[in-house]
Amino acid sequence: MSSTLPLFLDCDPGIDDALALAYLCCQDDVDVVGIAASGGNVATAQVVENTRGWLSLAGRNDFPVHAGHRLPLARQTQPAAADESLEYADLTHGDTGRGYARLPAPTAPISSVSAAQAWVDAAHTHPGQLLGVVIGPSTNLALALDIDPALPRLFKRLFIMGGAFNYRGNTHPTTEWNVTFDPESTARVLAAFDAVHERGQVAHLPVIAPIEATEAVEMTPDRLARIRDGAAAAGQTWQEMAAQLSEALRFYFEFHESDGLGYLAHIHDPFVLACALTWARQNTIPANGAQSEGSNTNAQPAAASVLGRGAEGVLPWATTLWAPVDVELTGTLTRGETVADWLGRWGRPVNAEIIRTIDAPAFLDHLSATLMKGPPA
């Protein structure tokens, strides 16, 4: 199958990010125009090495990797040592961000283009067609908006893994990790989409996948063993990839058990990537000689067809609700909390489609089958 879906992925590996990268390596119709390696689960330099290491292990050194900024937005105006007191998720993902996995030294060079500039370049190269997926903090997309504030009008759609709505957090009592690490960036991204939507310049508003939904996607040791056994038929390279993913997940299982959740792992990121790709396939105009969506760089996309606040929607493996969303930036107890105005108290228009439930068994069967099959020959 020819490459028909241009994708820019922003990630912070991280163990569930590694599963998302493995899933991506198995797709035969996706043009990976860039991967931003953003600080979050571990520091940016380590995230870059992890991203390149996983891709090298999978034999996919053809994906361009761009280093993200080493600091969240609020720290970027502080002294050079501002990163010394940053909190990372090493308890969850291990000191290196890859659990017990051993990765090869990366062989492909890292791009000289910054992650923020790479976002801009990708959107302008694929106007109206680019699928953006953020499964780490939104730092580099926010910085890209400083370069080009009108960037959202060039996306096909943006999918974000992050947030917790009226739910216990996995970082602070009411907050989720990706947003907590850089809440200003998530707020800036949502505000930018608000602005272009008000002018009728964006075809699809962002999708947000919060933890109260994605925590339903649970990897278990039994399922992982079946994936690893099945992956043996995909060749030695993929067999080793599956083996190291298993070692990473072993650490993840232990963390979840220590947190009182059982010997399992919440794998948020692969779901969001798979949901985005499947949605994009369902909303791509076939190549039949007609002008393709977004082929004219001067054309404006149709205004988003947005249902009213509280309206229900459907995405692959998921049900959704539409709502106005913002991020708490100043609360002493709640900084980083994502807030949805379910009752319309703000008087603001809807700006996001929020995933509320996931058919986890169906998705996990899809994920398992994909990882057992391995990359296209």
Side-chain angles (χ1 to χ4, degrees), residues 111-128:
S111 174
S112 60
V113 178
S114 71
Q117 185 62 53
W119 268 108
V120 175
D121 295 346
H124 281 272
T125 302
H126 303 278

mmCIF file with all atom_site columns, all heavy atoms in Angstrom, residues 111-128:
data_model
loop_
_atom_site.group_PDB
_atom_site.id
_atom_site.type_symbol
_atom_site.label_atom_id
_atom_site.label_alt_id
_atom_site.label_comp_id
_atom_site.label_asym_id
_atom_site.label_entity_id
_atom_site.label_seq_id
_atom_site.pdbx_PDB_ins_code
_atom_site.Cartn_x
_atom_site.Cartn_y
_atom_site.Cartn_z
_atom_site.occupancy
_atom_site.B_iso_or_equiv
_atom_site.pdbx_formal_charge
_atom_site.auth_seq_id
_atom_site.auth_comp_id
_atom_site.auth_asym_id
_atom_site.auth_atom_id
_atom_site.pdbx_PDB_model_num
ATOM 1   N N   . SER A 1 111 ? 18.144 14.784 13.356 1.00 0.00 ? 111 SER A N   1
ATOM 2   C CA  . SER A 1 111 ? 17.956 15.927 12.476 1.00 0.00 ? 111 SER A CA  1
ATOM 3   C C   . SER A 1 111 ? 18.516 17.200 13.114 1.00 0.00 ? 111 SER A C   1
ATOM 4   O O   . SER A 1 111 ? 18.448 17.382 14.332 1.00 0.00 ? 111 SER A O   1
ATOM 5   C CB  . SER A 1 111 ? 16.476 16.115 12.164 1.00 0.00 ? 111 SER A CB  1
ATOM 6   O OG  . SER A 1 111 ? 16.260 17.302 11.434 1.00 0.00 ? 111 SER A OG  1
ATOM 7   N N   . SER A 1 112 ? 19.032 18.078 12.291 1.00 0.00 ? 112 SER A N   1
ATOM 8   C CA  . SER A 1 112 ? 19.513 19.373 12.769 1.00 0.00 ? 112 SER A CA  1
ATOM 9   C C   . SER A 1 112 ? 18.376 20.377 12.939 1.00 0.00 ? 112 SER A C   1
ATOM 10  O O   . SER A 1 112 ? 18.569 21.467 13.481 1.00 0.00 ? 112 SER A O   1
ATOM 11  C CB  . SER A 1 112 ? 20.548 19.941 11.798 1.00 0.00 ? 112 SER A CB  1
ATOM 12  O OG  . SER A 1 112 ? 19.968 20.125 10.506 1.00 0.00 ? 112 SER A OG  1
ATOM 13  N N   . VAL A 1 113 ? 17.186 20.013 12.480 1.00 0.00 ? 113 VAL A N   1
ATOM 14  C CA  . VAL A 1 113 ? 16.016 20.889 12.579 1.00 0.00 ? 113 VAL A CA  1
ATOM 15  C C   . VAL A 1 113 ? 15.353 20.685 13.931 1.00 0.00 ? 113 VAL A C   1
ATOM 16  O O   . VAL A 1 113 ? 15.117 19.547 14.350 1.00 0.00 ? 113 VAL A O   1
ATOM 17  C CB  . VAL A 1 113 ? 15.007 20.589 11.447 1.00 0.00 ? 113 VAL A CB  1
ATOM 18  C CG1 . VAL A 1 113 ? 13.771 21.469 11.566 1.00 0.00 ? 113 VAL A CG1 1
ATOM 19  C CG2 . VAL A 1 113 ? 15.671 20.766 10.081 1.00 0.00 ? 113 VAL A CG2 1
ATOM 20  N N   . SER A 1 114 ? 15.042 21.761 14.628 1.00 0.00 ? 114 SER A N   1
ATOM 21  C CA  . SER A 1 114 ? 14.405 21.648 15.936 1.00 0.00 ? 114 SER A CA  1
ATOM 22  C C   . SER A 1 114 ? 13.018 21.037 15.794 1.00 0.00 ? 114 SER A C   1
ATOM 23  O O   . SER A 1 114 ? 12.386 21.095 14.727 1.00 0.00 ? 114 SER A O   1
ATOM 24  C CB  . SER A 1 114 ? 14.291 23.017 16.601 1.00 0.00 ? 114 SER A CB  1
ATOM 25  O OG  . SER A 1 114 ? 13.306 23.811 15.939 1.00 0.00 ? 114 SER A OG  1
ATOM 26  N N   . ALA A 1 115 ? 12.516 20.478 16.887 1.00 0.00 ? 115 ALA A N   1
ATOM 27  C CA  . ALA A 1 115 ? 11.183 19.878 16.854 1.00 0.00 ? 115 ALA A CA  1
ATOM 28  C C   . ALA A 1 115 ? 10.119 20.915 16.517 1.00 0.00 ? 115 ALA A C   1
ATOM 29  O O   . ALA A 1 115 ? 9.182  20.632 15.757 1.00 0.00 ? 115 ALA A O   1
ATOM 30  C CB  . ALA A 1 115 ? 10.889 19.222 18.196 1.00 0.00 ? 115 ALA A CB  1
ATOM 31  N N   . ALA A 1 116 ? 10.238 22.119 17.067 1.00 0.00 ? 116 ALA A N   1
ATOM 32  C CA  . ALA A 1 116 ? 9.243  23.154 16.790 1.00 0.00 ? 116 ALA A CA  1
ATOM 33  C C   . ALA A 1 116 ? 9.228  23.518 15.311 1.00 0.00 ? 116 ALA A C   1
ATOM 34  O O   . ALA A 1 116 ? 8.168  23.603 14.680 1.00 0.00 ? 116 ALA A O   1
ATOM 35  C CB  . ALA A 1 116 ? 9.530  24.389 17.644 1.00 0.00 ? 116 ALA A CB  1
ATOM 36  N N   . GLN A 1 117 ? 10.401 23.730 14.734 1.00 0.00 ? 117 GLN A N   1
ATOM 37  C CA  . GLN A 1 117 ? 10.464 24.075 13.309 1.00 0.00 ? 117 GLN A CA  1
ATOM 38  C C   . GLN A 1 117 ? 9.995  22.907 12.449 1.00 0.00 ? 117 GLN A C   1
ATOM 39  O O   . GLN A 1 117 ? 9.359  23.104 11.399 1.00 0.00 ? 117 GLN A O   1
ATOM 40  C CB  . GLN A 1 117 ? 11.894 24.462 12.930 1.00 0.00 ? 117 GLN A CB  1
ATOM 41  C CG  . GLN A 1 117 ? 12.033 24.960 11.492 1.00 0.00 ? 117 GLN A CG  1
ATOM 42  C CD  . GLN A 1 117 ? 11.220 26.214 11.229 1.00 0.00 ? 117 GLN A CD  1
ATOM 43  O OE1 . GLN A 1 117 ? 11.345 27.193 11.961 1.00 0.00 ? 117 GLN A OE1 1
ATOM 44  N NE2 . GLN A 1 117 ? 10.370 26.187 10.208 1.00 0.00 ? 117 GLN A NE2 1
ATOM 45  N N   . ALA A 1 118 ? 10.267 21.686 12.898 1.00 0.00 ? 118 ALA A N   1
ATOM 46  C CA  . ALA A 1 118 ? 9.834  20.509 12.143 1.00 0.00 ? 118 ALA A CA  1
ATOM 47  C C   . ALA A 1 118 ? 8.310  20.423 12.083 1.00 0.00 ? 118 ALA A C   1
ATOM 48  O O   . ALA A 1 118 ? 7.744  20.019 11.054 1.00 0.00 ? 118 ALA A O   1
ATOM 49  C CB  . ALA A 1 118 ? 10.421 19.249 12.759 1.00 0.00 ? 118 ALA A CB  1
ATOM 50  N N   . TRP A 1 119 ? 7.633  20.758 13.184 1.00 0.00 ? 119 TRP A N   1
ATOM 51  C CA  . TRP A 1 119 ? 6.171  20.823 13.153 1.00 0.00 ? 119 TRP A CA  1
ATOM 52  C C   . TRP A 1 119 ? 5.701  21.787 12.060 1.00 0.00 ? 119 TRP A C   1
ATOM 53  O O   . TRP A 1 119 ? 4.794  21.468 11.271 1.00 0.00 ? 119 TRP A O   1
ATOM 54  C CB  . TRP A 1 119 ? 5.644  21.324 14.491 1.00 0.00 ? 119 TRP A CB  1
ATOM 55  C CG  . TRP A 1 119 ? 5.297  20.316 15.534 1.00 0.00 ? 119 TRP A CG  1
ATOM 56  C CD1 . TRP A 1 119 ? 5.978  20.051 16.692 1.00 0.00 ? 119 TRP A CD1 1
ATOM 57  C CD2 . TRP A 1 119 ? 4.155  19.442 15.563 1.00 0.00 ? 119 TRP A CD2 1
ATOM 58  N NE1 . TRP A 1 119 ? 5.331  19.078 17.429 1.00 0.00 ? 119 TRP A NE1 1
ATOM 59  C CE2 . TRP A 1 119 ? 4.220  18.689 16.761 1.00 0.00 ? 119 TRP A CE2 1
ATOM 60  C CE3 . TRP A 1 119 ? 3.086  19.240 14.688 1.00 0.00 ? 119 TRP A CE3 1
ATOM 61  C CZ2 . TRP A 1 119 ? 3.248  17.745 17.110 1.00 0.00 ? 119 TRP A CZ2 1
ATOM 62  C CZ3 . TRP A 1 119 ? 2.124  18.303 15.033 1.00 0.00 ? 119 TRP A CZ3 1
ATOM 63  C CH2 . TRP A 1 119 ? 2.213  17.565 16.222 1.00 0.00 ? 119 TRP A CH2 1
ATOM 64  N N   . VAL A 1 120 ? 6.304  22.969 12.017 1.00 0.00 ? 120 VAL A N   1
ATOM 65  C CA  . VAL A 1 120 ? 5.901  23.983 11.046 1.00 0.00 ? 120 VAL A CA  1
ATOM 66  C C   . VAL A 1 120 ? 6.172  23.495 9.628  1.00 0.00 ? 120 VAL A C   1
ATOM 67  O O   . VAL A 1 120 ? 5.308  23.601 8.735  1.00 0.00 ? 120 VAL A O   1
ATOM 68  C CB  . VAL A 1 120 ? 6.639  25.306 11.320 1.00 0.00 ? 120 VAL A CB  1
ATOM 69  C CG1 . VAL A 1 120 ? 6.332  26.334 10.235 1.00 0.00 ? 120 VAL A CG1 1
ATOM 70  C CG2 . VAL A 1 120 ? 6.271  25.845 12.695 1.00 0.00 ? 120 VAL A CG2 1
ATOM 71  N N   . ASP A 1 121 ? 7.363  22.954 9.394  1.00 0.00 ? 121 ASP A N   1
ATOM 72  C CA  . ASP A 1 121 ? 7.726  22.486 8.056  1.00 0.00 ? 121 ASP A CA  1
ATOM 73  C C   . ASP A 1 121 ? 6.780  21.383 7.587  1.00 0.00 ? 121 ASP A C   1
ATOM 74  O O   . ASP A 1 121 ? 6.354  21.363 6.421  1.00 0.00 ? 121 ASP A O   1
ATOM 75  C CB  . ASP A 1 121 ? 9.169  21.974 8.051  1.00 0.00 ? 121 ASP A CB  1
ATOM 76  C CG  . ASP A 1 121 ? 10.188 23.061 8.318  1.00 0.00 ? 121 ASP A CG  1
ATOM 77  O OD1 . ASP A 1 121 ? 9.829  24.253 8.241  1.00 0.00 ? 121 ASP A OD1 1
ATOM 78  O OD2 . ASP A 1 121 ? 11.354 22.715 8.615  1.00 0.00 ? 121 ASP A OD2 1
ATOM 79  N N   . ALA A 1 122 ? 6.444  20.466 8.492  1.00 0.00 ? 122 ALA A N   1
ATOM 80  C CA  . ALA A 1 122 ? 5.566  19.351 8.125  1.00 0.00 ? 122 ALA A CA  1
ATOM 81  C C   . ALA A 1 122 ? 4.179  19.851 7.735  1.00 0.00 ? 122 ALA A C   1
ATOM 82  O O   . ALA A 1 122 ? 3.582  19.386 6.752  1.00 0.00 ? 122 ALA A O   1
ATOM 83  C CB  . ALA A 1 122 ? 5.478  18.362 9.277  1.00 0.00 ? 122 ALA A CB  1
ATOM 84  N N   . ALA A 1 123 ? 3.654  20.801 8.504  1.00 0.00 ? 123 ALA A N   1
ATOM 85  C CA  . ALA A 1 123 ? 2.315  21.312 8.213  1.00 0.00 ? 123 ALA A CA  1
ATOM 86  C C   . ALA A 1 123 ? 2.268  22.064 6.893  1.00 0.00 ? 123 ALA A C   1
ATOM 87  O O   . ALA A 1 123 ? 1.300  21.946 6.124  1.00 0.00 ? 123 ALA A O   1
ATOM 88  C CB  . ALA A 1 123 ? 1.855  22.218 9.360  1.00 0.00 ? 123 ALA A CB  1
ATOM 89  N N   . HIS A 1 124 ? 3.324  22.819 6.588  1.00 0.00 ? 124 HIS A N   1
ATOM 90  C CA  . HIS A 1 124 ? 3.341  23.556 5.331  1.00 0.00 ? 124 HIS A CA  1
ATOM 91  C C   . HIS A 1 124 ? 3.619  22.646 4.139  1.00 0.00 ? 124 HIS A C   1
ATOM 92  O O   . HIS A 1 124 ? 3.201  22.954 3.018  1.00 0.00 ? 124 HIS A O   1
ATOM 93  C CB  . HIS A 1 124 ? 4.384  24.680 5.403  1.00 0.00 ? 124 HIS A CB  1
ATOM 94  C CG  . HIS A 1 124 ? 3.904  25.872 6.165  1.00 0.00 ? 124 HIS A CG  1
ATOM 95  N ND1 . HIS A 1 124 ? 3.202  26.900 5.580  1.00 0.00 ? 124 HIS A ND1 1
ATOM 96  C CD2 . HIS A 1 124 ? 4.010  26.208 7.484  1.00 0.00 ? 124 HIS A CD2 1
ATOM 97  C CE1 . HIS A 1 124 ? 2.892  27.809 6.485  1.00 0.00 ? 124 HIS A CE1 1
ATOM 98  N NE2 . HIS A 1 124 ? 3.379  27.408 7.649  1.00 0.00 ? 124 HIS A NE2 1
ATOM 99  N N   . THR A 1 125 ? 4.295  21.550 4.360  1.00 0.00 ? 125 THR A N   1
ATOM 100 C CA  . THR A 1 125 ? 4.550  20.597 3.279  1.00 0.00 ? 125 THR A CA  1
ATOM 101 C C   . THR A 1 125 ? 3.308  19.781 2.956  1.00 0.00 ? 125 THR A C   1
ATOM 102 O O   . THR A 1 125 ? 3.110  19.363 1.811  1.00 0.00 ? 125 THR A O   1
ATOM 103 C CB  . THR A 1 125 ? 5.709  19.658 3.663  1.00 0.00 ? 125 THR A CB  1
ATOM 104 O OG1 . THR A 1 125 ? 6.871  20.439 3.935  1.00 0.00 ? 125 THR A OG1 1
ATOM 105 C CG2 . THR A 1 125 ? 6.022  18.675 2.543  1.00 0.00 ? 125 THR A CG2 1
ATOM 106 N N   . HIS A 1 126 ? 2.451  19.572 3.953  1.00 0.00 ? 126 HIS A N   1
ATOM 107 C CA  . HIS A 1 126 ? 1.245  18.746 3.779  1.00 0.00 ? 126 HIS A CA  1
ATOM 108 C C   . HIS A 1 126 ? 0.013  19.518 4.250  1.00 0.00 ? 126 HIS A C   1
ATOM 109 O O   . HIS A 1 126 ? -0.691 19.083 5.158  1.00 0.00 ? 126 HIS A O   1
ATOM 110 C CB  . HIS A 1 126 ? 1.385  17.443 4.556  1.00 0.00 ? 126 HIS A CB  1
ATOM 111 C CG  . HIS A 1 126 ? 2.578  16.631 4.192  1.00 0.00 ? 126 HIS A CG  1
ATOM 112 N ND1 . HIS A 1 126 ? 2.605  15.783 3.096  1.00 0.00 ? 126 HIS A ND1 1
ATOM 113 C CD2 . HIS A 1 126 ? 3.804  16.536 4.766  1.00 0.00 ? 126 HIS A CD2 1
ATOM 114 C CE1 . HIS A 1 126 ? 3.775  15.199 3.017  1.00 0.00 ? 126 HIS A CE1 1
ATOM 115 N NE2 . HIS A 1 126 ? 4.531  15.641 4.011  1.00 0.00 ? 126 HIS A NE2 1
ATOM 116 N N   . PRO A 1 127 ? -0.291 20.663 3.629  1.00 0.00 ? 127 PRO A N   1
ATOM 117 C CA  . PRO A 1 127 ? -1.409 21.485 4.113  1.00 0.00 ? 127 PRO A CA  1
ATOM 118 C C   . PRO A 1 127 ? -2.749 20.759 3.989  1.00 0.00 ? 127 PRO A C   1
ATOM 119 O O   . PRO A 1 127 ? -3.077 20.186 2.957  1.00 0.00 ? 127 PRO A O   1
ATOM 120 C CB  . PRO A 1 127 ? -1.357 22.709 3.201  1.00 0.00 ? 127 PRO A CB  1
ATOM 121 C CG  . PRO A 1 127 ? -0.682 22.225 1.946  1.00 0.00 ? 127 PRO A CG  1
ATOM 122 C CD  . PRO A 1 127 ? 0.321  21.227 2.410  1.00 0.00 ? 127 PRO A CD  1
ATOM 123 N N   . GLY A 1 128 ? -3.487 20.776 5.080  1.00 0.00 ? 128 GLY A N   1
ATOM 124 C CA  . GLY A 1 128 ? -4.789 20.138 5.092  1.00 0.00 ? 128 GLY A CA  1
ATOM 125 C C   . GLY A 1 128 ? -4.749 18.634 5.201  1.00 0.00 ? 128 GLY A C   1
ATOM 126 O O   . GLY A 1 128 ? -5.790 17.985 5.332  1.00 0.00 ? 128 GLY A O   1
#
